[in-house]
Amino acid sequence: MTPTLSLRQVESAEPDTTPDLAEMANAVRMLAVAGVEAAKSGHPGMPMGMADVATVLFSRVMRIDPARPDWPDRDRFVLSAGHGSMLQYALHHLLGYADMPIEELKRFRQLGSKAAGHPEYGHAAGIETTTGPLGQGITTAVGMALAERHLNARFGDALVDHRTYVIAGDGCLMEGISQEAIDLAGHLKLSRLVVLWDDNGISIDGSTTLSTGTDQLARVKASGWAVERVDAYDHEAIEAALNRARASDRPTLIACRSVIGYGAPTKAGTCGVHGAPLGMEEAQATAQALGWDSPPFTVPDDIRDSWRAVGRAGRQAREAWERRLAAHPARADFWRVMATEPGADVVDALAAYRQELAESRPKMATRKASQLVLGVVNAATDLTVGGSADLTHSNLTQTKGMDVMNAGHYAGRYIHYGIREHAMTAVMNGLALHGGVIPYGGTFLVFSDYARGAIRLSALMGVRVIHVLTHDSIGLGEDGPTHQPVEHLAMLRATPNLHVFRPADAVETAECWELALTSPGTPSALCLSRQDLPTLRRDASWNRSATGAYILRETPGPRDATLLATGSEVALAVEAAERLAEEGIATAVVSMPCWELFERQPPANRAIVLGNAPRVGVEAAVRFGWDRWLGDQGAFIGMGGFGASAPAPDLYRHFGITVDAIMAAVRARVAHA
């Protein structure tokens, strides 16, 4: 059999002087052991078991440059089994990442360390995504692989030609989100995606046979993947499998039959090595069994030099790409796209459209207003990539001229995610993390429950993902309480670094879309109505939603009461205020499209908006969270439990979310003021 040249050999055009890969793998293994021992916590088993696979991957296949970890055409690596984070930190130290000196490994899991308990995007160079919640990494990687194909369709192999590699564990494949991701990736034929499965047969409770008997290779193959199995310690077999994956026209899963805690004399192959230090005695015995005679956190010079040579080899591939880019006619456009900023054209187009809406004052559902706004946005920028979890014609997320992205046609800008809310959200995280696109995707607000894990990660990482969440209240009507969100606004608002928008009309919808598009470090949730709403705003000269809350209707003199409302209930508040004025009760109306932005306003500004008069909050959702705005004497008109099945007007009357109820609450507060 003719030996296969490694990618590093081909690209460097130098003889392969790599020393014994087993020694390089042992350096990874023993650094992981030392880091967990020093922290007195962590997960040594996976890094020990997969050290050889990772060594072959990084030294023979992957194209990265530690000196330029953000090089656009680099291969992406996702440690989906994020509990094994010391594997990645050890690799980064050995490869020469400047921010991962040995001192960081010694401070593993300590406050402020780059080597956090799980890989965290933005904390250390080369961490492509935050992982740890199992299944998120493999699904986010699908988004990265999809972004690569989308940009390749636009710029060609000369500028975009890289792969996404994942190390996943048994837990990742058990999580339901993994099937959503595997099915979608196979359907889209994402051949640049390769998953290395740490097939060790052990979970925290013990053998995986306690809870699963699934033939994972058969499952994944049935979803359109290429699959094969290798010995996790046969370096030639691992490299050959990776080379076959590079030539495949399908995504590939390589089952790496491994031993958790490989090398540990008494704990290898047991659940005891999954999530606890080996202990000093076992750590020393492991070193002896592996023939490793260096002290903890010490790597022999020849092995360290070999790893650093691997790190430097990627520089040549990166420099070759930079030369191609410099000579490419699309160079300026490529950098514009990778900057992923919508630009002044979008802002100007939305400003003009807001003014048009304020003048024409249409009556429409905010989900329909969102579609019309998206028509303006998608015409003004080519960065947006939309989609829906099989609710395109309900979420109204597709606009004129948006081709569908599918296998063989990755240039499209619309994705049919299927009924996979969780995967859709994690895939959007991957699209955003890759760069070059601004993703948005739609489902019903009530199904944000299904997407919660990935929504949380988008907020934790600070990536611009836009969640279009329609049918936002009992206003959806006859589908009943299973589809009527009541606690979901509170859940989303409780999430740090997530903008939750609930616009009151078409003008506010346009404003909220602008804010979502121009917030690069924050994901957004646009909560939109099914029922038609009147346009309340007459002035659209500036984006009033940017303040989070503003006075929509002020009183000519001192206020007797203030109504605070969001979304579809703002119109009820305005009508109530007008009728109260006829009774001589001066009532202001405050629209609160985004609590998070309002919280950032100076206290004096918030005080002006809220006023000193008694307050009544109105929202077709539960009260939780409202008391911060209402004060001790405030009243709330909303939901006290789940909804029911009936036409929307009947439901609003049944649950007491009416103009009459608002007026009665105001009268009662004013009488006791």
Side-chain angles (χ1 to χ4, degrees), residues 63 71-74 76 148 151-152 154-162 320-335 338 434:
R63 296 190 315 172
W71 162 39
D73 202 32
R74 68 192 180 278
R76 268 65 171 178
E148 188 275 343
L151 294 173
N152 173 271
R154 179 168 186 167
F155 294 107
D157 290 347
L159 300 186
V160 182
D161 182 17
H162 55 268
W321 175 84
E322 289 176 340
R323 289 191 292 271
R324 293 195 300 274
L325 177 64
H328 202 284
R331 177 178 180 273
D333 192 43
F334 177 83
W335 282 124
M338 292 308 297
H434 181 281

Side-chain angles (χ1 to χ4, degrees), residues 581-671:
E582 295 173 0
E583 299 178 9
I585 301 175
T587 307
V589 176
V590 172
S591 178
M592 304 186 74
C594 184
W595 290 11
E596 296 77 24
L597 292 177
F598 188 53
E599 287 172 344
R600 295 181 197 169
Q601 295 298 307
N605 291 11
R606 292 202 304 268
I608 292 170
V609 172
L610 296 173
N612 296 318
R615 302 168 197 155
V616 175
V618 191
E619 186 172 68
V622 296
R623 180 170 183 150
F624 191 83
W626 269 96
D627 288 293
R628 80 181 83 172
W629 312 122
L630 300 179
D632 294 338
Q633 305 303 313
F636 178 72
I637 305 296
M639 297 296 294
F642 295 110
S645 177
D650 294 345
L651 290 172
Y652 272 83
R653 285 191 295 270
H654 176 73
F655 290 108
I657 307 174
T658 63
V659 171
D660 288 341
I662 297 169
M663 294 175 66
V666 169
R667 292 191 197 103
R669 287 333 181 256
V670 171

Side-chain angles (χ1 to χ4, degrees), residues 346-377:
V346 172
V347 175
D348 292 345
L350 286 176
Y353 186 58
R354 285 200 309 270
Q355 191 59 45
E356 178 184 326
L357 290 170
E359 293 171 359
S360 62
R361 305 188 70 192
K363 183 176 183 179
M364 66 175 69
T366 52
R367 64 168 178 159
K368 179 60 178 178
S370 171
Q371 184 184 42
L372 296 177
V373 171
L374 273 171
V376 175
V377 170

Side-chain angles (χ1 to χ4, degrees), residues 7 11 57-58 60-65 68-78 97 126 128 144 148 161-165 192 246 317 434:
L7 178 66
E11 291 186 335
L57 174 65
F58 277 83
R60 297 296 181 91
V61 177
M62 281 195 68
R63 296 190 315 172
I64 56 169
D65 182 5
R68 281 285 307 279
D70 59 348
W71 162 39
D73 202 32
R74 68 192 180 278
D75 288 336
R76 268 65 171 178
F77 173 70
V78 173
Y97 282 79
E128 302 286 1
M144 294 178 183
E148 188 275 343
D161 182 17
H162 55 268
R163 287 170 168 76
T164 302
Y165 295 94
R192 300 306 183 89
R246 288 173 57 81
H434 181 281

Side-chain angles (χ1 to χ4, degrees), residues 231-316:
D231 181 337
Y233 310 103
D234 185 336
H235 302 141
E236 291 184 1
I238 296 166
E239 184 175 1
L242 286 166
N243 284 332
R244 284 191 291 274
R246 288 173 57 81
S248 177
D249 61 353
R250 295 175 289 169
T252 299
L253 174 78
I254 303 172
C256 304
R257 192 57 181 160
S258 62
V259 177
I260 190 170
Y262 179 86
T266 68
K267 295 187 176 182
T270 72
C271 60
V273 76
H274 168 82
L278 296 183
M280 185 60 68
E281 184 177 340
E282 184 81 356
Q284 291 173 348
T286 300
Q288 184 176 0
L290 295 172
W292 186 267
D293 56 7
S294 298
F297 296 110
T298 302
V299 177
D301 289 344
D302 60 332
I303 298 177
R304 182 181 297 278
D305 290 345
S306 298
W307 270 113
R308 293 296 164 87
V310 172
R312 290 191 299 270
R315 181 182 64 191
Q316 297 183 33

Side-chain angles (χ1 to χ4, degrees), residues 26 85 151 167 177 184 188 220 345 403 473 489:
N26 280 338
S85 57
L151 294 173
I167 288 182
I177 191 175
L184 182 62
L188 294 173
V220 176
D345 288 348
D403 289 340
S473 72
L489 287 168

Side-chain angles (χ1 to χ4, degrees), residues 24-211:
M24 295 175 69
N26 280 338
V28 175
R29 190 171 281 116
M30 295 311 298
L31 284 174
V33 169
V36 174
E37 287 297 314
K40 296 182 173 54
S41 73
H43 301 77
M46 191 280 276
M48 296 174 72
M50 288 293 282
D52 291 80
V53 173
T55 297
V56 174
L57 174 65
F58 277 83
S59 67
R60 297 296 181 91
V61 177
M62 281 195 68
R63 296 190 315 172
I64 56 169
D65 182 5
R68 281 285 307 279
D70 59 348
W71 162 39
D73 202 32
R74 68 192 180 278
D75 288 336
R76 268 65 171 178
F77 173 70
V78 173
L79 186 63
S80 189
H83 56 273
S85 57
M86 267 305 303
L87 174 75
Q88 187 158 17
Y89 302 143
L91 287 165
H92 282 203
H93 168 71
L94 292 167
L95 288 165
Y97 282 79
D99 67 344
M100 199 59 67
I102 200 67
E103 289 75 21
E104 292 296 331
L105 274 61
K106 292 178 179 179
R107 297 196 308 124
F108 177 52
R109 287 181 157 234
Q110 305 310 299
L111 184 63
S113 173
K114 299 283 187 182
H118 291 82
E120 295 185 33
Y121 173 75
H123 284 233
I127 305 295
E128 302 286 1
T129 182
T130 296
T131 56
L134 296 178
Q136 290 290 332
I138 185 175
T139 315
T140 303
V142 172
M144 294 178 183
L146 188 56
E148 188 275 343
R149 287 292 82 192
H150 176 68
L151 294 173
N152 173 271
R154 179 168 186 167
F155 294 107
D157 290 347
L159 300 186
V160 182
D161 182 17
H162 55 268
R163 287 170 168 76
T164 302
Y165 295 94
V166 180
I167 288 182
D170 291 299
C172 292
L173 298 188
M174 285 189 210
E175 287 284 0
I177 191 175
S178 76
Q179 180 54 35
E180 297 181 26
I182 288 165
D183 189 7
L184 182 62
H187 179 71
L188 294 173
K189 298 188 186 313
L190 297 179
S191 61
R192 300 306 183 89
L193 176 63
V194 179
V195 176
L196 297 154
W197 169 29
D198 178 18
D199 180 18
N200 62 40
I202 295 292
S203 62
I204 293 176
D205 283 355
S207 170
T208 54
T209 58
L210 292 170
S211 57

